[in-house]
Amino acid sequence: MHNWSKSKLFSILSAINPAEWREFRHFIVSGIGGPSGKALELYEVLSDFHPDLNACSLTREELFFRFSRQKAYEDKKLRYAMTDLYKLACNYLKIKALQIDSRSADLLLLEELARRGADKAYLSEYESETVVNDIDIVKDAGFYFARHQSEYIHMNHFLPRQKRSDESP
């Protein structure tokens, strides 16, 4: 029996609730989070134990044989599969965080539009972000930090690319 409670993979997977667990499977299958390698097969085996992954009584070898269906144990393949699943779980939680924190998602969109030179879309988003921030009722630290980030993006990504109408002496 292996003590999985010290595993960072099991730690992050335990943080995913049962409803999200099903959604996480779709995320893996979709390929949005990157290549999965053997992560889906490992996910399927661990689904038998989720949400209480600490109850997993499998040894490393048993876990490997259940998801790989190979005759000989290869620790390297198990570690690769665990790493792939860990990275996918991290990417999944990043996307979940962006869905919750629309302020950060909007700022990332602004930065990406500015970086890609999509000026018309950038200006539209920047102006709507400024209007929303100006009427925001709660002007807490998060508000001022977001305003700072928005202006930083504007000054460092968008303004330097603009042509000057007249030459300065």
Side-chain angles (χ1 to χ4, degrees):
M1 185 167 137
H2 190 277
N3 183 3
W4 295 107
S5 63
K6 295 179 182 176
S7 164
K8 66 181 183 178
L9 171 64
F10 278 58
S11 172
I12 197 169
L13 294 179
S14 295
I16 298 174
N17 69 42
E20 291 173 331
W21 187 254
R22 290 183 294 280
E23 189 179 74
F24 179 46
R25 184 186 191 288
H26 296 296
F27 179 79
I28 295 169
V29 171
S30 73
I32 292 172
S36 65
K38 290 284 189 184
L40 181 60
E41 290 85 348
L42 181 57
Y43 166 90
E44 297 296 348
V45 171
L46 294 176
S47 290
D48 294 341
F49 301 98
H50 191 270
D52 188 17
L53 290 170
N54 291 329
C56 180
S57 60
L58 299 176
T59 63
R60 292 179 70 83
E61 292 81 7
E62 291 169 333
L63 184 61
F64 176 78
F65 293 135
R66 283 185 69 179
F67 87 83
S68 74
R69 311 218 193 301
Q70 292 182 348
K71 300 280 186 218
Y73 173 69
E74 295 182 49
D75 190 62
K76 189 174 186 179
K77 287 186 179 180
L78 175 63
R79 285 185 284 118
Y80 280 151
M82 292 176 77
T83 299
D84 290 344
L85 189 56
Y86 177 78
K87 287 177 181 176
L88 286 166
C90 288
N91 288 338
Y92 172 75
L93 291 178
K94 287 176 193 175
I95 289 173
K96 293 299 286 184
L98 285 175
Q99 290 172 343
I100 294 167
D101 185 2
S102 63
R103 188 181 282 168
S104 293
D106 292 342
L107 288 170
L108 286 171
L109 175 61
L110 268 181
E111 188 168 17
E112 192 61 19
L113 290 172
R115 191 180 68 73
R116 291 175 180 252
D119 293 348
K120 205 167 197 176
Y122 169 83
L123 286 172
S124 174
E125 292 297 321
Y126 176 76
E127 289 166 4
S128 70
E129 178 74 19
T130 303
V131 169
V132 168
N133 279 334
D134 286 341
I135 60 172
D136 205 349
I137 295 171
V138 179
K139 294 193 176 180
D140 58 357
F143 165 82
Y144 290 107
F145 184 65
R147 175 52 81 62
H148 167 74
Q149 285 181 302
S150 177
E151 294 306 318
Y152 178 85
I153 292 166
H154 192 65
M155 288 174 48
N156 290 298
H157 293 289
F158 182 73
L159 291 179
R161 290 183 303 119
Q162 302 307 303
K163 293 181 182 173
R164 293 185 178 191
S165 57
D166 61 331
E167 290 295 319
S168 299

